[in-house]
Amino acid sequence: MNVLIIGSGGREHAICWTIANSPKLTKLFAAPGNAGIAELAICLPISVEDNQAILRAVHDHSIDFVIIGPEVPLVNGLADLLQSNGIAVFGPSKAAAQIEGSKGFMKDLCAKAGIPTARYARFTDIEKAKTYVEQYGAPIVIKADGLAAGKGVTVAMTKDEALDAIDTAMRDKAFGNAGASLVIEEFMEGEEASFFALADGETAIAFAHAQDHKRAYDGDKGPNTGGMGAYSPAPIITPALQDDIMQRIILPTAKQMVKDGTPFRGIFFAGLMLTKEGPKLIEYNARFGDPETQAMLPRLKSDLLDVLHKTALGRLNEVKLEWHDCAALCVVMAAKGYPGTYQKNTVIKGLDKAADLPNVVVFHAGTINNDGAVLANGGRVLGITGFDESLKKAQQNAYRAVDAIDWPEGFCRRDIGWRALQ
Ligand code: AMP
Ligand code: GLY
């Protein structure tokens, strides 16, 4: 079949790399893709937010199956548009994508289905929000309801911080409309993990798990980012805990969404807090994680294209996942200054040397090809994944490849995986 992947990040490169050798693949397209994806797919210069242009491309190139990577097109209803035109799509409908697009929707769903999560209240009135914080005190967590590019959450350790966060969102409108409505919730303590499960309505199966590093600098210091590295599996998630997560969180979610008339077809990405009382949901995303996917997919033995296609067609009951018995670890290389301002169009060298090392894959995120030279044109630019029989060896492989890359304007963390390896 002809396949189109929507997106341009390391996640989308990892998906392309994994399906490139599928016996089911005829031609692979990406919109818009990046310099790494261009080695595997025909890149179409179309914005992920231009639904109509994507639909035209689907017709022009006789695309049979579309895989949507990022959240924005999901929340914009791209899956609905393609499906109503008879195209198979991996990724949930606009209504189902609200589990990521609206924190309030997600929390109300948890309440209805009895899913363990932080206690919460929703506010559209600034004074009522502040009174709630005055009553409950700190630590407390303030969240903009809508998509805020990962910036809408404040974990406030003091009451003043919480009140400031309310002002930032509601009075100063720092997140635009996304902050017009707030979720204020209980602070949870524990270790975080990312859990992924495929669903096609009521049927849901565990996919894989990972842990990521959100802070920009070593020692989990500095500003929050989209993720500076990840490893999979997450050693803290035992088979028994995985079972518990499926029974208490994923399956009740899938069931409730069917009941509510918003069945979920795609991949649940559950951000979990593993608390003393058991796993609790922090948030849902309605898509693969980035960089988690760069650490999960090199471990997959099954044909990913077949798996995603069957999920899209509502035939998940036919899917049986097989994994290599190995660990993988992805180090993100970002432009110096990220997540703030950074330089663009700097030259990256040594990519082939890095990719030639054993047990390494080099995934591209913000890169472009300029007459044969690879240039950085984004914040997160590369995801270097190492894999091996142990996480320690996977980490060594990844950093050996990082060291082969010659890009003075880039940086990475040197401690990805520390928690699992300590
Ligand atoms: P979110 O965008 O909802 O994933 O939140 C971003 C980060 O804030 C999470 O990865 C957690 O580290 C933290 N966080 C969110 N909600 C809570 C909570 N209720 N308790 C403690 N930490 C939280
Ligand atoms: N790594 C977190 C995310 O994909 O949102």
Side-chain angles (χ1 to χ4, degrees), residues 22 56 66 154 159 248 250 292 336 395:
S22 167
R56 276 197 301 278
V66 179
T154 304
K159 218 192 254 185
R248 291 171 57 179
I250 304 292
E292 288 89 339
K336 280 180 187 163
Q395 186 195 47

Side-chain angles (χ1 to χ4, degrees), residues 103 118 141 143 150 153 155 185-189 192 214 224 273 282-283:
K103 296 204 190 278
V141 183
K143 300 185 172 186
V153 174
V155 178
E185 65 178 39
E186 167 200 6
F187 172 77
M188 299 186 287
E189 259 186 298
E192 284 183 52
K214 289 195 170 66
N224 261 320
M273 191 70 86
I282 301 172
E283 62 157 358

